[in-house]
Amino acid sequence: MPKILMLAGDGIGPEIMEEAKKILSLFKDTFDFSFVEKPIGGAGIDKHGDPFPSETANEALTADAILLGAVGGPQWDSFPMAQRPEKGLLAIRKELGLFANLRPVKIWPALAGFSPLRPEKLENVSFTVVRELTGDVYFGQPRGIEIRGGTRVGFNTMIYSEDEIRRIAKIAFDMARKSQKIVHSIDKANVLETMRFWREIVSDVHKDYPDVHLEHFYVDNTAMQLIRQPSAFDVMLTPNMFGDILSDEAAVLSGSLGMLPSASIGGKQALYEPIHGSAPDIAGQGLANPIGMILSVAMMLEISFGRQDYAKIIDKAVGDCLAEGLRTGDIWSEGMQKVSTAAMGDAVAGKVAAAI
Ligand code: NAD
């Protein structure tokens, strides 16, 4: 029986994880699974003094798939870097070898009017950000804050090995083969050696994919093109830091950070999580949008368990709820029905239950 590890985490994490469980349990009759819940991030620090406790790490290594809410919060902000909640997230990605983060961006017709872009700019927008996840300046050594020449300096190292670039580029080209066959590789090759190397290796990997069109874009231009002509993108291949930033920008095209799911793959098991953080400003008030989390369940069912049929049912249920005017606060506008986290989860669950 497949085992799913649930890591609710902090802030709104536990609230949206409840809605994920609600949806998942509907498939129990035909998809038998067990699940186990463990702490990560701030919850791990509070319980075990560690953002990635060993009991969580052990469960992660034996799980078939992992669902994660979000980590972080102001109560841990003053902790030293190595003991902060976000370290738990970096640690589980590293431990499981999850080097590729897939972030599909799509526009829900019912929310087109809510996007900061004009509706006509959003026609045919559907792309996936393939973000490298375990390298770059987030992991590069040396790093630190120290005194040099009598003054304090902060420093990090942007570094990529050839193998790291090759394996993420292959994932992007393989994905493009299944969609519009276009890859935009994002870099800053005009000023950074690491990024010149990135461009060279991506171009080399591309030789094995002559059927896929490759474009190299500078990250600053990409930030602009995402607003100017988002429909031009199909698969956007990014290094870790640029992908972190661009995928948040891409998220608002769809109306809210709360709408987007993601999958982190590359190891034996994959990890699924909404792209937003722990939203401490709205935690515990039933205000969080659970859709990014619910769509992460759909991605898990499709990618880890081969149930594209279930994923489609969930996707349609979300679309139908939005079309009926149900909205959490982050996507609410005049004339729509404002609902709580749990009520949105119930509504999606009702439609999923009716479809299976
Ligand atoms: P955030 O994504 O938590 O919130 C940004 C804004 O979006 C906030 O106004 C928040 O209320 C809103 N928002 C986010 N998700 C929402 C949802 N589902 N429904 C409704 N509104 C939503 O980012 P932040 O404020 O920069 O960071 C807060 C904490 O989360 C920090 O500790 C940060 O380190 C952490 N963080 C964690 C992750 C993760 O766990 N993957 C990712 C990003 C940030």
Side-chain angles (χ1 to χ4, degrees):
M1 188 194 301
K3 183 172 81 175
I4 297 169
L5 173 62
M6 293 184 179
L7 307 172
D10 311 318
I12 61 171
E15 298 166 58
I16 54 174
M17 189 61 85
E18 278 311 304
E19 305 317 308
K21 273 192 234 166
K22 213 178 260 176
I23 304 297
L24 205 46
S25 63
L26 297 171
F27 297 99
K28 257 287 192 186
D29 286 347
T30 47
F31 172 63
D32 207 8
F33 65 91
S34 64
F35 71 86
V36 50
E37 298 178 82
K38 290 290 170 195
I40 193 165
I45 295 171
D46 289 351
K47 192 154 181 238
H48 299 287
D50 185 347
F52 188 46
S54 56
E55 62 167 58
T56 304
N58 291 337
E59 288 291 351
L61 289 168
T62 57
D64 294 284
I66 300 158
L67 275 177
L68 190 141
V71 301
Q75 60 271 54
W76 303 285
D77 276 355
S78 58
F79 282 45
M81 206 54 119
Q83 290 157 27
R84 287 184 51 166
E86 293 76 7
K87 206 72 191 172
L89 205 53
L90 299 184
I92 192 169
R93 289 170 181 166
K94 199 77 176 172
E95 179 80 29
L96 299 180
L98 304 174
F99 65 84
N101 186 233
L102 315 180
R103 299 184 166 194
V105 178
K106 77 177 223 179
I107 308 299
W108 298 87
L111 289 186
F114 194 76
S115 169
L117 293 197
R118 290 193 305 275
E120 66 266 27
K121 287 260 183 205
L122 298 170
E123 277 166 28
N124 303 316
V125 171
S126 172
F127 62 92
T128 300
V129 180
V130 176
R131 170 187 166 196
E132 201 289 327
L133 206 57
T134 53
D136 204 345
V137 71
Y138 292 178
F139 292 92
Q141 295 288 348
R143 60 192 295 159
I145 300 171
E146 64 186 30
I147 295 175
R148 287 184 193 172
T151 186
R152 291 181 79 215
V153 296
F155 56 98
N156 292 88
T157 302
M158 178 179 267
I159 182 165
Y160 267 117
S161 71
E162 181 169 342
D163 287 351
E164 285 175 319
I165 303 170
R166 280 190 186 281
R167 64 186 185 179
I168 190 75
K170 278 185 189 148
I171 289 198
F173 286 121
D174 285 337
M175 277 201 78
R177 272 196 170 148
K178 291 187 211 136
S179 54
Q180 307 295 312
K181 297 191 170 61
I182 305 169
V183 170
H184 286 84
S185 174
I186 313 307
D187 60 42
K188 189 72 183 165
N190 46 344
V191 283
L192 297 168
E193 284 77 3
T194 321
M195 293 291 96
R196 216 166 64 217
F197 185 54
W198 171 279
R199 186 175 284 216
E200 177 194 322
I201 302 302
V202 170
S203 299
D204 197 50
V205 175
H206 179 232
K207 289 178 188 154
D208 293 333
Y209 297 84
D211 51 323
V212 177
H213 179 70
L214 169 67
E215 296 253 6
H216 298 283
F217 268 23
Y218 294 136
V219 61
D220 37 0
N221 178 36
T222 311
M224 187 180 71
Q225 297 302 339
L226 262 176
I227 303 298
R228 217 178 63 84
Q229 206 195 350
S231 60
F233 295 105
D234 173 23
V235 172
M236 184 189 288
L237 165 63
T238 76
N240 200 350
M241 182 166 64
F242 297 159
D244 191 359
I245 298 163
L246 292 173
S247 57
D248 268 27
E249 185 187 346
V252 291
L253 299 179
S254 73
S256 166
L257 268 184
M259 294 295 299
L260 289 200
S262 80
S264 301
I265 63 169
K268 195 162 80 62
Q269 54 277 90
L271 181 148
Y272 302 87
E273 58 177 323
I275 76 153
H276 58 75
S278 59
D281 53 334
I282 57 165
Q285 302 168 55
L287 295 175
N289 184 345
I291 292 178
M293 184 80 238
I294 289 172
L295 294 173
S296 299
V297 170
M299 282 189 93
M300 175 184 76
L301 289 168
E302 179 169 354
I303 296 175
S304 284
F305 301 112
R307 298 306 308 234
Q308 197 182 20
D309 49 345
Y310 292 169
K312 279 199 172 133
I313 288 173
I314 296 173
D315 210 67
K316 179 165 186 323
V318 167
D320 289 350
C321 288
L322 295 172
E324 283 175 14
L326 299 186
R327 302 282 191 272
T328 43
D330 57 314
I331 49 174
W332 181 82
S333 57
E334 208 55 47
M336 299 294 141
Q337 184 188 345
K338 198 181 266 187
V339 295
S340 66
T341 308
M344 182 62 97
D346 286 342
V348 176
K351 293 196 184 300
V352 170
I356 53 180

